[in-house]
Amino acid sequence: MNTKGKAFKYGDNVDTDVIIPARYLNTSAAAELAAHCMEDIDAEFVSNVKAGDVIVAGDNFGCGSSREHAPLAIKTCGVGCVIAKSFARIFYRNSINIGLPIVECAEAADEIGAGDEVEVDFDTGMITDKTTGRQYKAQPFPPFIQNIIKKGGLLASIKEG
Amino acid sequence: MGMTMTQKILASHAGLDCVEAGQLIEAKLDMVLGNDITTPVAINEFRRAGFEGVFDRDKIAIVLDHFVPNKDIKAAEQSKSCRDFACEHCVSHFYDVGKMGIEHALLPEQGVVTAGDCVIGADSHTCTYGALGAFSTGVGSTDMAAAMATGKAWFKVPSAIKFELTGKLPKNCSGKDVILSIIGEIGVDGALYKSMEFTGEGVSELSMDDRLCICNMAIEAGAKNGVFPVDDITKAYINGRCEREYKVYEADADAVYERTVKVELDKIVPTVACPHLPENTRPASELHDIKIDQVVIGSCTNGRMEDMETAYKILAGKKVADGVRCIIIPATMAILRECVERGYYTAFIDAGAVVSTPTCGPCLGGYMGILAAGERCVATTNRNFVGRMGHTKSEVYLASPATAAASALTGYITEPKEA
């Protein structure tokens, strides 16, 4: 499995309130949520993002609220992967649970520039910046989590045992 | 190797003698919580996965608190989906309008959670119940759905930071100033993935409302949970509230901590977190030239009885400054009722404040106090991110109820004389 697309770059502590503002939390419909993804940090995001694109950010991505609407909005608007220096723990857990690939890699998060063409191979953990030609190796998921992803999310993994 | 208090609770709920930091475990849950925002997503997942029943109707709590009384048609639909699900599965702890309160004030008050419990909630401030000596952490809706079906959740056992409290708080300070000071020191990811374990002689100087407020904001330092030891103050609070038996866990004497942070309570000053991160803390005394448009006193962080009492002492017989909207939101119906009985409600109105029924409303920019571009609010809530309470160009300053009430009277951020 992999994703390939353009990088959207943000800083540290991107919180769930800017990923999906609470004024839109009166719905749980994924498509409606996706229409407002990143609205309060980057009003142009939704009109520019294409399937397979990658969000690149600093430390503590997804901090704040436990709203699963945040990774759901990101996934539904087509983002193929989020690369960050670190993730807030509930966001990390929610992303895995709904099947949004997320990768921790400080070097890649620092060096990948906005608009760079990026490819992420989830099987090997290899991140390639095709614009600069640089490659980065991220930690693969531990087996416990790989299993959840392989089964297609937490609930599917429980149903299949 | 010794275990922290959190590790002991987790080990016990995983049926293990011993766990260590980094270990993946599956733990049995004593309570699974959701609200009107997160439960509808969980219900979708629950149904999509084909689950038919809940694991234990007495161990699920669904609280309608964020957008109720329903703020609009969509919110009404969400509340209805929670109500229908609770009815279909005979969920014992379902709290609708008239009975509800802000979840993290309500569940401890009603004895739905107690010491020694292992609790998850689809709300990030579920970490509040650590104040009772429970392991309690926020998760997402999918985790809630799975837990409602299985009664279990997986956890990576956290390492811990020990916060050693000494001394006694000055009269104009409360738990809010303690936790804001700590977040200012360690940062919004200072405890990422870890437990914050509060210990030391200073613990006995903190009321239950102070402890609930401190644990509530553990998430604002990135923590998995915050936890206080169980002492006489905890027992006095728990007794008579919870029908279930509680269990007391204590950290081993040789428990391993990543580090120890000393917190001298007598050196705490009224503290404000400036926009747009809870770690941007400054003494309230340095911010006296910040003019404000609104004050909010309430939320799962500071809508409890002591917070109301503090606001009353400062506002009674005085007038909210011209140009300031002061919104007071008691966190539960019991607290609201007590405010009426003690005469606080009348005093708040006479001071020019408005009083709402319980809701999370303004804290997350839902309703009941949304800010326009350029407006500033001093709030006793827990987050001051960009756009948190309204327009992306509005500003939220996080503070204690005492600082918020004192600021409401002057129209500027004001250091309170006494809490």
Side-chain angles (χ1 to χ4, degrees), chain B residues 15-89:
Chain B
L16 301 168
D17 293 332
C18 184
V19 295
E20 57 183 53
Q23 189 176 343
L24 287 166
I25 57 156
E26 191 170 53
K28 282 190 182 168
L29 302 168
D30 298 299
M31 194 57 62
V32 179
L33 163 72
N35 58 48
D36 52 318
I37 302 291
T38 57
T39 307
V41 180
I43 294 169
N44 291 347
E45 293 300 315
F46 188 92
R47 298 222 162 102
R48 195 181 305 162
F51 294 126
E52 276 158 20
V54 298
F55 83 107
D56 186 339
R57 72 186 196 95
D58 295 329
K59 291 185 176 175
I60 293 168
I62 297 174
V63 184
L64 310 186
D65 61 358
H66 277 57
F67 292 163
V68 304
N70 302 323
K71 81 178 179 99
D72 55 26
I73 294 168
K74 285 180 171 178
E77 297 291 347
Q78 298 207 123
S79 286
K80 186 167 184 299
S81 89
C82 295
R83 195 175 294 120
D84 291 348
F85 182 87
C87 181
E88 181 186 341
H89 296 281

Side-chain angles (χ1 to χ4, degrees), chain A residues 13 15-18 21-29 32 39-41 59-60 63-69 72 86-90 92-94 96-98 104 142 144-145 148 154-156 158-159, chain B residues 24 37-38 41 44-45 49-51 67 71-72 74-75 78 122-124 137-143 145-146 150 153-155 188-189 192-193 219 222-224 277 364-365 383 385-388 390 392:
Chain A
N13 302 311
D15 60 78
T16 54
D17 278 281
V18 295
R23 58 185 176 274
Y24 303 121
L25 295 186
N26 54 5
T27 179
S28 58
E32 277 186 66
E39 188 170 296
D40 282 358
I41 191 173
D59 276 317
N60 205 24
C63 62
S65 154
S66 70
R67 63 190 71 156
E68 204 162 287
H69 314 66
L72 196 60
S86 64
F87 291 91
R89 67 160 278 278
I90 305 177
Y92 188 93
R93 201 178 165 101
N94 287 346
I96 288 163
N97 282 346
I98 67 153
E104 271 185 2
F144 186 85
I145 290 177
I148 292 177
L154 181 70
L155 291 181
I158 289 171
K159 288 298 281 186
Chain B
L24 287 166
I37 302 291
T38 57
V41 180
N44 291 347
E45 293 300 315
F51 294 126
F67 292 163
K71 81 178 179 99
D72 55 26
K74 285 180 171 178
Q78 298 207 123
D123 188 280
S124 60
T137 193
V139 296
S141 298
T142 297
D143 275 315
T150 66
W154 66 267
F155 299 106
V188 291
D189 59 354
L192 197 58
Y193 302 112
I219 179 69
K224 183 170 222 156
L277 279 178
L364 75 162
R383 291 188 179 130
F385 300 146
V386 171
R388 174 74 178 177
T392 51

Side-chain angles (χ1 to χ4, degrees), chain A residues 121-159:
Chain A
D121 185 322
F122 305 125
D123 299 328
T124 60
M126 194 60 80
I127 302 167
T128 308
D129 185 332
K130 292 188 169 274
T131 306
T132 63
R134 299 201 63 163
Q135 284 202 314
Y136 312 91
K137 183 88 169 77
Q139 277 285 336
F141 284 122
F144 186 85
I145 290 177
Q146 273 182 25
N147 186 47
I148 292 177
I149 291 171
K150 201 168 73 189
K151 297 262 171 74
L154 181 70
L155 291 181
S157 76
I158 289 171
K159 288 298 281 186

